[in-house]
Amino acid sequence: MSKNDALNVDRVHPEAVLAKHMKTAAIRQAAAHAVAAEATTYHADPSAPIGLFDSGVGGLSVYLHLAEQLPAERYVYYADTLHVPYGNRDSTDIERLTLRAIEWLYQQGCKLIVIACNSASAYALETARRCYPQMPIVGLVPALKPAVLASTTHRVAVLATKATLNGALLNKVIDAFALPNNIEVTKYFDPLLVPWVEAGMPEADETARRLRQQLTVFAQAGIDQLVLGCTHYPFFKGFLLEEIARQQLSIQVVDSGQAIAERVKQLLLSNQLLVSANIKGNGNNHINEYCNDDSENDSNAHRAIATNHQISPVVRLPLTFYASKYDDTLGALIKQLVGQETVLQYASK
């Protein structure tokens, strides 16, 4: 399939496909509290794909880092675009939708799954791990630790969805790490940021104006570290950096994409699931379980995401993208976010 023909394939809504897995997922969820979350050796095929899940296209920012670090791997991405965004939903709904998506990826034979959504991780990560004790599952939490370590003003802001800001994962890091270091954490939530990214981030939009204004407010409050706590947000990191430079603000922007890629690589190595062609790096980097740490090269990687999203010149394998609701606008947006060098294949039944 050529790059120009990449979008001209069969497209289906996955509701019918997912329905047959719902009973299995429900059984797993009901039994979750009875399953011991033990570290069990997972014997999967190294050639199996890595699964990624997000409520929308935001998790593609994670995919870009994975594709750079592990270009020889195959990737299957599931976007629950029928129910995006998750950040405004209640915890029960988020858990239900997340477990359904994970079940679908599990049925595709994925060897590892990344919950590339902070909101889904906040409310479903631990349950998912209990449901699938042999499956390596990587979750996200805003990269607060590196921001705390880098702050000189002792004031940090976390930009995230309401679900993430209220979730146990982030607040555990605040209580265990930020407060003991006398760091004041400001939580900021704008429900229109995810829809803005899904719409292609038009700069004339009111959401863009509000974001510019909020940067000024952060600077006036003495905040010197801004944590992007949603996988959609790295796509407008370039926008933030340009505005910070224009206003001459002393704010650094932090997110956890690079750390997630390193964590996935570490898990694949430890479970002997890494495709041998992945030779970049030594795989010995230690990353916290919830990917709170960023590498020193993180800013360069995310600047690449923020510009034309061409992180690496390597030839990537096709990305299989599956959406619960598809239209031509979504296809154009995906191409805008991941770059023309990535070949897309839409899964079909």
Side-chain angles (χ1 to χ4, degrees):
M1 179 183 298
S2 71
K3 295 179 180 178
N4 292 331
D5 294 332
L7 296 179
N8 298 320
V9 295
D10 292 337
R11 305 153 183 155
V12 298
H13 299 282
E15 292 302 312
V17 181
L18 287 169
K20 69 178 182 179
H21 301 314
M22 283 294 289
K23 183 176 181 180
T24 304
I27 293 172
R28 290 183 186 277
Q29 185 173 1
H33 298 291
V35 177
E38 300 174 353
T40 307
T41 302
Y42 184 55
H43 299 289
D45 183 355
S47 65
I50 294 171
L52 294 99
F53 160 66
D54 186 23
S55 60
V57 299
L60 289 171
S61 66
V62 177
Y63 160 73
L64 287 171
H65 280 289
L66 287 168
E68 183 211 9
Q69 287 291 318
L70 304 168
E73 299 288 347
R74 294 190 298 123
Y75 298 93
V76 175
Y77 187 104
Y78 174 70
D80 191 11
T81 46
L82 184 64
H83 301 103
V84 68
Y86 278 14
N88 301 330
R89 295 178 177 275
D90 62 45
S91 59
T92 302
D93 202 24
I94 293 172
E95 182 182 71
R96 176 181 62 83
L97 293 170
T98 300
L99 291 178
R100 184 172 67 173
I102 290 175
E103 175 64 20
W104 186 83
L105 288 170
Y106 179 82
Q107 294 293 336
Q108 306 313 300
C110 293
K111 62 183 178 182
L112 179 148
I113 293 175
V114 179
I115 303 178
C117 174
N118 290 85
S119 298
S121 296
Y123 293 106
L125 175 60
E126 294 307 318
T127 302
R129 285 174 170 168
R130 289 195 298 269
C131 289
Y132 305 85
Q134 291 183 312
M135 168 73 71
I137 299 177
V138 177
L140 279 68
V141 71
L144 186 58
K145 283 189 177 181
V148 166
L149 293 172
S151 179
T152 59
T153 64
H154 289 259
R155 288 178 173 83
V156 171
V158 178
L159 183 63
T161 66
K162 182 170 62 174
T164 298
L165 294 176
N166 293 336
L169 294 183
L170 173 62
N171 287 289
K172 183 166 70 173
V173 177
I174 292 175
D175 292 341
F177 199 76
L179 295 182
N181 284 279
N182 297 314
I183 299 294
E184 178 182 316
V185 179
T186 297
K187 298 178 178 180
Y188 180 76
F189 161 59
D190 184 338
L192 296 181
L193 283 174
V194 169
W196 181 55
V197 174
E198 299 274 338
M201 298 171 291
E203 293 201 18
D205 192 272
E206 176 65 18
T207 302
R209 185 201 65 78
R210 198 163 50 250
L211 196 53
R212 293 188 187 99
Q213 184 180 46
Q214 190 59 41
L215 285 173
T216 304
V217 173
F218 286 151
Q220 291 173 344
I223 290 168
D224 67 346
Q225 301 289 318
L226 176 58
V227 179
L228 304 182
C230 173
T231 52
H232 280 75
Y233 297 174
F235 286 116
F236 58 74
K237 187 171 184 178
F239 172 88
L240 294 174
L241 294 174
E242 289 177 6
E243 187 62 24
I244 287 169
R246 188 186 70 80
Q247 295 190 38
Q248 297 183 325
L249 306 177
S250 298
I251 298 177
Q252 292 185 328
V253 184
V254 184
D255 69 270
S256 57
Q258 181 69 20
I260 295 163
E262 293 289 353
R263 175 59 176 162
V264 168
K265 185 175 182 179
Q266 180 189 72
L267 283 171
L268 293 178
L269 280 168
S270 64
N271 287 282
Q272 299 182 334
L273 294 174
L274 191 69
V275 172
S276 60
N278 291 310
I279 57 175
K280 182 175 179 178
N282 58 21
N284 294 324
N285 297 0
H286 175 71
I287 302 297
N288 171 282
E289 180 181 11
Y290 295 119
C291 304
N292 292 313
D293 305 303
D294 279 348
S295 74
E296 61 185 1
N297 296 321
D298 187 56
S299 59
N300 290 334
H302 284 296
R303 187 177 294 277
I305 285 181
T307 52
N308 208 15
H309 320 308
Q310 296 176 348
I311 288 181
S312 173
V314 299
V315 177
R316 304 173 190 156
L317 295 176
L319 167 66
T320 300
F321 188 96
Y322 200 93
S324 55
K325 181 181 179 181
Y326 177 83
D327 57 34
D328 291 336
T329 301
L330 177 62
L333 175 61
I334 295 167
K335 279 295 186 181
Q336 175 187 340
L337 295 179
V338 301
Q340 295 296 321
E341 77 284 0
T342 297
V343 179
L344 298 177
Q345 294 178 333
Y346 289 93
S348 60
K349 173 74 172 165

